[in-house]
Amino acid sequence: MRSDNKIKSGVSMFSIGFSLTRSITVNRPVSEVMAIVGDFNQWNAWSPWIIQEPSCPVTVTGEPSKENHKQHWDGERIGSGQMILTEVIADKQLSYDLEFFKPWKSKSKTQFTFEAITTESGEEATKVNWLMQGSLPFFLFFMKKMMIAFISFDYDRGLNMLQEYIETGSVQSSVEIQGIKKQKGFHYVGFRHKCNIEDIKQVMGPCFQQLIDEKVPLPDMMVTISHKFDFVTGECELTGAFAYFNKPSFDVPTNMVFGEIPEHDGLQVDHTGSYNYLSNGWATAKGYQQYAKLKSLKGVADYEVYRNSPKSVAEEELLTSIILPVKS
């Protein structure tokens, strides 16, 4: 959810500034929310970056929610950097200096602002805004929209986890990189849709029940195939499908699509937990692909495979494999 909050930042004549804000509502009082955000000792539970590399060394110094409270991380895949709490405005704002050391050096300003609100049921809640102001070298002007889109994606993942962590005490999401594995080819039958990224759940959620209602024969796997996913425009094109290792002999209904994914090598990343956090698996997979310099297999779409079902296991036990086809 976007916010109209804007904070000006100084930009040199040789750089291009950017700013962004992402927001969420947490059903807890400001004091409780601000105390957790202001404590780096609790960030590992909801950080959108640490979940991609849980073994990343993190050092925390200073007193939580006090100026000069500091977090330093030194990851192999997510890079290294530090955040320092520079200003605390009681019940309103936490401000930080953010510095990255690798994979490249950069400095930014970030803030969390907190607004007390009341829910429809009359309970105390907090609107949390996460802001950033940064800059890019002038010669990288063409990356500005992409940079804003990617950071916004990370902020949204983090805020969603923060919300659950504060409201329930835990986050139902974990990721494990399985590496490159030979993936068996399959044929698929399903529904192909174009939609905005923010509408994926509403648009794609009913696909599998529709397949069942249409009495399509039970599959070997259930998959969602990602034909297009553009963070900058917010547009995507996906197919929710039943997948079969052998070519189906039945007639495919005219309102469905039929296709094939050939056998291939694929980077496999497994996500365990709520489907609401599948973006953590995708972020980890894409990040690892870049880190390992793996080239995508041309003409073969990325996809996810649902290894079990919400009808058979608890939400925290849902297992989904994200597969990125790569060149051998």
Side-chain angles (χ1 to χ4, degrees):
M1 177 172 63
R2 295 190 182 278
S3 170
D4 293 330
N5 262 335
K6 294 181 180 179
I7 292 182
K8 296 180 180 179
S9 59
V11 179
S12 77
M13 63 182 294
F14 300 110
S15 63
I16 296 176
F18 69 87
S19 62
L20 61 97
T21 304
R22 309 303 290 179
S23 306
I24 201 166
T25 297
V26 180
N27 291 318
R28 290 292 186 274
V30 167
S31 57
E32 182 179 344
V33 176
M34 194 168 176
I36 290 175
V37 175
D39 184 358
F40 282 134
N41 295 291
Q42 302 196 59
W43 274 51
N44 282 12
W46 60 273
S47 167
W49 303 289
I50 296 299
I51 194 169
Q52 297 176 228
E53 190 178 347
S55 60
C56 171
V58 177
T59 303
V60 176
T61 57
E63 187 177 348
S65 297
K66 300 292 184 182
E67 292 182 9
N68 295 318
H69 186 44
K70 178 179 176 180
Q71 178 193 65
H72 178 274
W73 64 94
D74 189 12
E76 182 178 352
R77 290 185 282 106
I78 65 173
S80 65
Q82 67 180 20
M83 284 185 72
I84 302 175
L85 181 57
T86 58
E87 183 182 29
V88 179
I89 303 177
D91 296 327
K92 290 187 180 298
Q93 182 172 311
L94 298 169
S95 298
Y96 301 86
D97 282 345
L98 171 63
E99 185 172 7
F100 292 101
F101 304 130
K102 63 179 184 179
W104 60 79
K105 293 183 178 181
S106 68
K107 294 181 179 181
S108 300
K109 299 287 187 180
T110 66
Q111 302 85 28
F112 286 87
T113 63
F114 308 88
E115 178 185 348
I117 60 177
T118 304
T119 65
E120 293 182 358
S121 59
E123 297 178 344
E124 290 184 84
T126 303
K127 181 181 179 182
V128 182
N129 300 306
W130 194 356
L131 305 90
M132 172 183 276
Q133 306 84 44
S135 63
L136 290 170
F138 183 77
F139 61 85
L140 293 178
F141 70 92
F142 59 91
M143 291 186 61
K144 180 177 177 179
K145 289 184 178 180
M146 185 180 299
M147 179 70 73
I148 291 173
F150 285 162
I151 297 174
S152 295
F153 173 67
D154 286 344
Y155 274 25
D156 285 340
R157 291 190 299 111
L159 287 171
N160 286 329
M161 289 189 285
L162 174 67
Q163 179 192 56
E164 183 175 18
Y165 177 63
I166 294 176
E167 293 180 357
T168 71
S170 63
V171 177
Q172 295 180 16
S173 180
S174 63
V175 176
E176 185 175 358
I177 298 171
Q178 300 293 345
I180 298 175
K181 292 182 174 292
K182 182 68 69 175
Q183 304 292 335
K184 193 173 181 179
F186 59 86
H187 304 265
Y188 63 86
V189 176
F191 295 98
R192 184 164 176 162
H193 294 290
K194 294 180 180 180
C195 66
N196 292 325
I197 293 174
E198 60 186 19
D199 298 327
I200 287 177
K201 186 175 182 180
Q202 292 80 4
V203 174
M204 300 304 298
C207 285
F208 299 105
Q209 188 58 51
Q210 285 180 271
L211 288 164
I212 294 172
D213 293 342
E214 294 267 3
K215 295 183 170 52
V216 176
L218 293 178
D220 296 308
M221 301 187 301
M222 292 191 296
V223 301
T224 293
I225 301 166
S226 178
H227 308 285
K228 174 185 177 181
F229 208 96
D230 191 325
F231 283 111
V232 176
T233 65
E235 299 172 343
C236 63
E237 189 168 351
L238 309 170
T239 295
F242 281 180
Y244 307 87
F245 295 132
N246 297 315
K247 187 174 182 178
S249 57
F250 59 85
D251 293 330
V252 177
T254 57
N255 62 333
M256 300 182 193
V257 296
F258 176 79
E260 181 180 1
I261 297 289
E263 182 178 88
H264 60 278
D265 288 334
L267 171 62
Q268 179 175 326
V269 172
D270 288 346
H271 177 267
T272 301
S274 170
Y275 290 152
N276 293 329
Y277 296 120
L278 285 176
S279 55
N280 289 333
W282 282 97
T284 302
K286 291 295 186 179
Y288 186 86
Q289 181 182 28
Q290 183 178 24
Y291 160 78
K293 299 180 180 179
L294 302 174
K295 294 185 178 181
S296 298
L297 184 60
K298 188 175 181 179
V300 184
D302 301 336
Y303 59 97
E304 58 190 28
V305 181
Y306 310 104
R307 303 299 188 183
N308 51 23
S309 166
K311 295 182 179 180
S312 60
V313 300
E315 187 174 39
E316 62 269 20
E317 297 174 354
L318 290 170
L319 178 61
T320 307
S321 295
I322 288 88
I323 311 295
L324 308 186
V326 297
K327 291 183 179 180
S328 302

